[in-house]
Amino acid sequence: MSFKSKPVYRGNRNSFKIHVKKDDVVQVISGSSKGTVAKVLQVFPKDSTIIVEGVNVKTKHIKPQADGESGQIITREFPIHSSKVLLYSEKEKTASRSCFTFTDDGKKVRMLKKTGEIVDSVQTEKK
């Protein structure tokens, strides 16, 4: 049984920068779940992986932990690499790469390159 090795980082870094955040809507662009549109449940910047709802679902057999307890078979989502997804625009029904831009207030936000839609929710602060 092989174990996953620790990621090798270049320079003075201890994690990767990921273009998606928790609760983003993404579309899977490769693999067996190609074309699936779903929400990001969890992000792991250490190894650049994410858990997407309903994608990479596996069955896991769990042994009984105490006497008299029965074992279980559960299905759960496992991580996929963040490069296998693109941000998805629900208005235009299309997936697109993202870039950073500044709003009129000077706040840095993420924007979809194909549609120009702002992904981050811009909240106006009241003083």
PDB file of all heavy atoms in Angstrom, residues 52-64:
ATOM      1  N   VAL A  52     -15.812  18.595  -3.878  1.00  0.00           N
ATOM      2  CA  VAL A  52     -16.959  19.134  -4.603  1.00  0.00           C
ATOM      3  C   VAL A  52     -18.147  18.212  -4.359  1.00  0.00           C
ATOM      4  O   VAL A  52     -18.010  16.989  -4.356  1.00  0.00           O
ATOM      5  CB  VAL A  52     -16.645  19.231  -6.112  1.00  0.00           C
ATOM      6  CG1 VAL A  52     -17.820  19.825  -6.863  1.00  0.00           C
ATOM      7  CG2 VAL A  52     -15.407  20.074  -6.341  1.00  0.00           C
ATOM      8  N   GLU A  53     -19.300  18.802  -4.152  1.00  0.00           N
ATOM      9  CA  GLU A  53     -20.523  18.063  -3.825  1.00  0.00           C
ATOM     10  C   GLU A  53     -20.913  17.102  -4.953  1.00  0.00           C
ATOM     11  O   GLU A  53     -21.094  17.516  -6.096  1.00  0.00           O
ATOM     12  CB  GLU A  53     -21.652  19.068  -3.583  1.00  0.00           C
ATOM     13  CG  GLU A  53     -22.907  18.497  -3.026  1.00  0.00           C
ATOM     14  CD  GLU A  53     -23.917  19.587  -2.705  1.00  0.00           C
ATOM     15  OE1 GLU A  53     -23.827  20.700  -3.253  1.00  0.00           O
ATOM     16  OE2 GLU A  53     -24.809  19.301  -1.894  1.00  0.00           O
ATOM     17  N   GLY A  54     -20.987  15.809  -4.631  1.00  0.00           N
ATOM     18  CA  GLY A  54     -21.409  14.803  -5.598  1.00  0.00           C
ATOM     19  C   GLY A  54     -20.357  14.365  -6.599  1.00  0.00           C
ATOM     20  O   GLY A  54     -20.663  13.638  -7.533  1.00  0.00           O
ATOM     21  N   VAL A  55     -19.109  14.793  -6.421  1.00  0.00           N
ATOM     22  CA  VAL A  55     -18.025  14.443  -7.344  1.00  0.00           C
ATOM     23  C   VAL A  55     -17.000  13.581  -6.608  1.00  0.00           C
ATOM     24  O   VAL A  55     -16.688  13.844  -5.446  1.00  0.00           O
ATOM     25  CB  VAL A  55     -17.356  15.718  -7.897  1.00  0.00           C
ATOM     26  CG1 VAL A  55     -16.150  15.386  -8.757  1.00  0.00           C
ATOM     27  CG2 VAL A  55     -18.352  16.528  -8.695  1.00  0.00           C
ATOM     28  N   ASN A  56     -16.485  12.552  -7.280  1.00  0.00           N
ATOM     29  CA  ASN A  56     -15.501  11.620  -6.720  1.00  0.00           C
ATOM     30  C   ASN A  56     -16.064  10.921  -5.483  1.00  0.00           C
ATOM     31  O   ASN A  56     -15.430  10.855  -4.442  1.00  0.00           O
ATOM     32  CB  ASN A  56     -14.180  12.337  -6.399  1.00  0.00           C
ATOM     33  CG  ASN A  56     -13.020  11.380  -6.264  1.00  0.00           C
ATOM     34  OD1 ASN A  56     -13.072  10.243  -6.728  1.00  0.00           O
ATOM     35  ND2 ASN A  56     -11.965  11.827  -5.620  1.00  0.00           N
ATOM     36  N   VAL A  57     -17.263  10.397  -5.624  1.00  0.00           N
ATOM     37  CA  VAL A  57     -17.944   9.707  -4.524  1.00  0.00           C
ATOM     38  C   VAL A  57     -17.458   8.263  -4.481  1.00  0.00           C
ATOM     39  O   VAL A  57     -17.449   7.566  -5.498  1.00  0.00           O
ATOM     40  CB  VAL A  57     -19.478   9.753  -4.706  1.00  0.00           C
ATOM     41  CG1 VAL A  57     -20.173   8.979  -3.613  1.00  0.00           C
ATOM     42  CG2 VAL A  57     -19.954  11.189  -4.725  1.00  0.00           C
ATOM     43  N   LYS A  58     -17.033   7.825  -3.306  1.00  0.00           N
ATOM     44  CA  LYS A  58     -16.532   6.475  -3.106  1.00  0.00           C
ATOM     45  C   LYS A  58     -17.248   5.835  -1.928  1.00  0.00           C
ATOM     46  O   LYS A  58     -17.726   6.531  -1.038  1.00  0.00           O
ATOM     47  CB  LYS A  58     -15.031   6.480  -2.841  1.00  0.00           C
ATOM     48  CG  LYS A  58     -14.212   7.024  -3.988  1.00  0.00           C
ATOM     49  CD  LYS A  58     -12.747   7.016  -3.666  1.00  0.00           C
ATOM     50  CE  LYS A  58     -11.942   7.573  -4.824  1.00  0.00           C
ATOM     51  NZ  LYS A  58     -10.507   7.594  -4.521  1.00  0.00           N
ATOM     52  N   THR A  59     -17.306   4.503  -1.927  1.00  0.00           N
ATOM     53  CA  THR A  59     -17.863   3.795  -0.779  1.00  0.00           C
ATOM     54  C   THR A  59     -16.724   3.408   0.133  1.00  0.00           C
ATOM     55  O   THR A  59     -15.675   2.940  -0.322  1.00  0.00           O
ATOM     56  CB  THR A  59     -18.626   2.531  -1.210  1.00  0.00           C
ATOM     57  OG1 THR A  59     -17.749   1.681  -1.929  1.00  0.00           O
ATOM     58  CG2 THR A  59     -19.821   2.878  -2.056  1.00  0.00           C
ATOM     59  N   LYS A  60     -16.926   3.602   1.423  1.00  0.00           N
ATOM     60  CA  LYS A  60     -15.903   3.309   2.414  1.00  0.00           C
ATOM     61  C   LYS A  60     -16.484   2.327   3.424  1.00  0.00           C
ATOM     62  O   LYS A  60     -17.563   2.540   3.955  1.00  0.00           O
ATOM     63  CB  LYS A  60     -15.474   4.602   3.102  1.00  0.00           C
ATOM     64  CG  LYS A  60     -14.319   4.425   4.054  1.00  0.00           C
ATOM     65  CD  LYS A  60     -13.775   5.744   4.540  1.00  0.00           C
ATOM     66  CE  LYS A  60     -12.610   5.475   5.463  1.00  0.00           C
ATOM     67  NZ  LYS A  60     -11.878   6.673   5.810  1.00  0.00           N
ATOM     68  N   HIS A  61     -15.734   1.250   3.671  1.00  0.00           N
ATOM     69  CA  HIS A  61     -16.151   0.236   4.635  1.00  0.00           C
ATOM     70  C   HIS A  61     -15.494   0.548   5.971  1.00  0.00           C
ATOM     71  O   HIS A  61     -14.275   0.672   6.061  1.00  0.00           O
ATOM     72  CB  HIS A  61     -15.723  -1.160   4.160  1.00  0.00           C
ATOM     73  CG  HIS A  61     -16.397  -1.564   2.893  1.00  0.00           C
ATOM     74  ND1 HIS A  61     -17.428  -2.464   2.850  1.00  0.00           N
ATOM     75  CD2 HIS A  61     -16.213  -1.163   1.609  1.00  0.00           C
ATOM     76  CE1 HIS A  61     -17.827  -2.618   1.598  1.00  0.00           C
ATOM     77  NE2 HIS A  61     -17.102  -1.835   0.823  1.00  0.00           N
ATOM     78  N   ILE A  62     -16.306   0.686   7.009  1.00  0.00           N
ATOM     79  CA  ILE A  62     -15.807   1.052   8.336  1.00  0.00           C
ATOM     80  C   ILE A  62     -15.976  -0.141   9.268  1.00  0.00           C
ATOM     81  O   ILE A  62     -17.066  -0.715   9.372  1.00  0.00           O
ATOM     82  CB  ILE A  62     -16.558   2.277   8.890  1.00  0.00           C
ATOM     83  CG1 ILE A  62     -16.332   3.467   7.956  1.00  0.00           C
ATOM     84  CG2 ILE A  62     -16.096   2.609  10.292  1.00  0.00           C
ATOM     85  CD1 ILE A  62     -17.085   4.694   8.339  1.00  0.00           C
ATOM     86  N   LYS A  63     -14.890  -0.495   9.936  1.00  0.00           N
ATOM     87  CA  LYS A  63     -14.930  -1.607  10.896  1.00  0.00           C
ATOM     88  C   LYS A  63     -15.680  -1.186  12.147  1.00  0.00           C
ATOM     89  O   LYS A  63     -15.694  -0.002  12.507  1.00  0.00           O
ATOM     90  CB  LYS A  63     -13.505  -2.000  11.300  1.00  0.00           C
ATOM     91  CG  LYS A  63     -12.737  -2.728  10.242  1.00  0.00           C
ATOM     92  CD  LYS A  63     -11.403  -3.159  10.811  1.00  0.00           C
ATOM     93  CE  LYS A  63     -10.613  -3.968   9.822  1.00  0.00           C
ATOM     94  NZ  LYS A  63      -9.324  -4.391  10.380  1.00  0.00           N
ATOM     95  N   PRO A  64     -16.252  -2.139  12.861  1.00  0.00           N
ATOM     96  CA  PRO A  64     -16.886  -1.793  14.141  1.00  0.00           C
ATOM     97  C   PRO A  64     -15.827  -1.389  15.161  1.00  0.00           C
ATOM     98  O   PRO A  64     -14.782  -2.019  15.255  1.00  0.00           O
ATOM     99  CB  PRO A  64     -17.600  -3.077  14.553  1.00  0.00           C
ATOM    100  CG  PRO A  64     -16.999  -4.156  13.742  1.00  0.00           C
ATOM    101  CD  PRO A  64     -16.466  -3.543  12.498  1.00  0.00           C
TER     102      PRO A  64
END
